[in-house]
């Protein structure tokens, strides 16, 4: 009688290069809440600044560990020079004109555009922390938000499985071009991370060749 051993399936390994602490801690919180499909093994890398993103991206892409490498960053305010530089370097690395459009998760003007969607429909219009501090305090109680580690940790405590669904619904309405204020493509990637069909990974990689 043949042995009936359990069949093990390897998870699909995805790496997300995060611009900085806010992006890293936010995605870390979503991982902790287990809101994405369990077949994805997601590794997060804190680039420590947008200038480090292209090198981190190239390193993780070339080491062959991951099926997909993504970037999560701000567009900042016009003319989006640093953001456009990240996209240009990713395009040059792949030798494909629009490669960055497939792998860069953006929020215009900043990541708090996504985070605050857990609680409100109100759009953020500036990347300046003093401008956004009152809105953050209104929904989290964190005063005079400046992006300090303790403040970020306090904000993340207010993100829950319940308001994740609210964020997803709101963020889907923000789809549009990355040079338009108040836009984000995060919903597109959430669709993939929540589904049990990994074909979306292959579709992205096919466009990088």
């Amino acid at each position: 009688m043949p042995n009936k051993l359990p069949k093990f399936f390897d998870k699909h390994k995805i790496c997300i290069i995060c611009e900085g602490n806010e992006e890293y801690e936010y995605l870390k919180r979503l991982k902790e809440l287990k809101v994405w499909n369990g077949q994805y093994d997601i590794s997060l890398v804190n680039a420590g600044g947008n200038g480090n993103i292209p090198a981190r991206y190239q390193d993780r892409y070339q080491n062959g560990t991951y099926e997909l490498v993504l970037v999560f960053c701000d567009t900042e305010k016009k003319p989006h020079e640093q953001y456009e530089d990240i996209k240009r370097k990713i395009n040059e690395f792949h030798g494909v004109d629009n490669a960055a459009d497939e792998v860069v998760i953006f929020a215009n003007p900043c990541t708090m555009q996504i985070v605050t969607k857990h609680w409100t429909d109100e759009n953020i219009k500036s990347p300046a922390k003093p401008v956004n501090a009152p809105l953050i305090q209104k929904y989290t109680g964190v005063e005079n938000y400046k992006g300090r580690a303790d403040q970020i940790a306090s904000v993340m405590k207010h993100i829950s499985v319940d308001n994740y669904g609210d964020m997803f619904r709101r963020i889907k309405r923000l789809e549009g071009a990355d040079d338009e204020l108040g836009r984000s493509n995060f919903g597109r990637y959430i669709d993939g991370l929540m589904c049990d069909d990994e074909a979306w990974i292959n579709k992205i990689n096919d466009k990088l060749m």
Side-chain angles (χ1 to χ4, degrees):
M1 185 175 181
N3 292 328
K4 290 188 176 180
L5 298 175
K7 189 174 183 179
F8 295 98
F9 294 92
D10 290 332
K11 292 187 176 185
H12 299 284
K13 296 183 181 298
I14 298 173
C15 180
I16 305 179
I17 311 297
C18 303
E19 176 179 331
N21 295 334
E22 287 181 335
E23 292 79 14
Y24 179 86
E25 294 297 332
Y26 176 59
L27 294 188
K28 178 183 172 184
R29 177 61 173 166
L30 295 186
K31 280 186 62 178
E32 291 170 350
L33 294 176
K34 301 185 186 304
V35 291
W36 295 329
N37 194 289
Q39 72 166 323
Y40 302 115
D41 178 8
I42 300 171
S43 298
L44 304 176
V45 174
N46 188 339
N50 53 21
N52 299 323
I53 289 175
R56 300 287 191 279
Y57 176 84
Q58 293 178 29
D59 176 68
R60 295 311 190 279
Y61 186 89
Q62 290 176 320
N63 73 16
T65 300
Y66 306 101
E67 291 181 52
L68 180 65
V69 181
L70 301 173
V71 168
F72 184 35
C73 65
D74 299 341
T75 66
E76 294 291 345
K77 58 186 178 181
K78 289 184 178 180
H80 315 299
E81 290 177 344
Q82 292 173 314
Y83 173 74
E84 290 297 335
D85 190 54
I86 291 168
K87 290 175 60 179
R88 178 183 60 78
K89 289 178 178 177
I90 290 176
N91 291 341
E92 290 176 352
F93 171 69
H94 287 289
V96 177
D97 288 343
N98 298 312
D101 293 337
E102 302 299 323
V103 299
V104 174
I105 304 168
F106 72 85
N108 185 329
C110 60
T111 301
M112 275 297 161
Q113 187 73 272
I114 295 172
V115 175
T116 56
K117 287 297 175 288
H118 284 263
W119 313 296
T120 179
D121 285 301
E122 186 173 347
N123 275 349
I124 283 177
K125 299 179 176 63
S126 168
K129 289 180 171 59
V131 174
N132 300 322
L135 183 66
I136 295 170
Q137 180 176 351
K138 180 178 179 180
Y139 292 101
T140 69
V142 176
E143 298 180 359
N144 194 25
Y145 183 81
K146 295 180 178 179
R148 298 196 315 263
D150 62 312
Q151 292 177 321
I152 295 172
S154 295
V155 168
M156 296 309 150
K157 290 178 181 177
H158 292 269
I159 292 173
S160 67
V161 172
D162 289 339
N163 60 40
Y164 169 82
D166 296 330
M167 178 277 295
F168 181 43
R169 172 175 52 82
R170 289 171 175 139
I171 213 73
K172 289 289 285 183
R173 297 203 294 262
L174 299 187
E175 292 179 358
D178 56 7
D179 60 352
E180 295 179 23
L181 186 65
R183 300 296 183 181
S184 175
N185 63 350
F186 191 37
R188 164 189 169 190
Y189 297 92
I190 294 176
D191 279 335
L193 291 169
M194 290 176 64
C195 77
D196 56 8
D197 183 356
E198 72 279 7
W200 66 280
I201 294 177
N202 295 328
K203 289 179 181 178
I204 290 176
N205 284 323
D206 287 345
K207 294 179 181 179
L208 302 180
M209 303 298 183

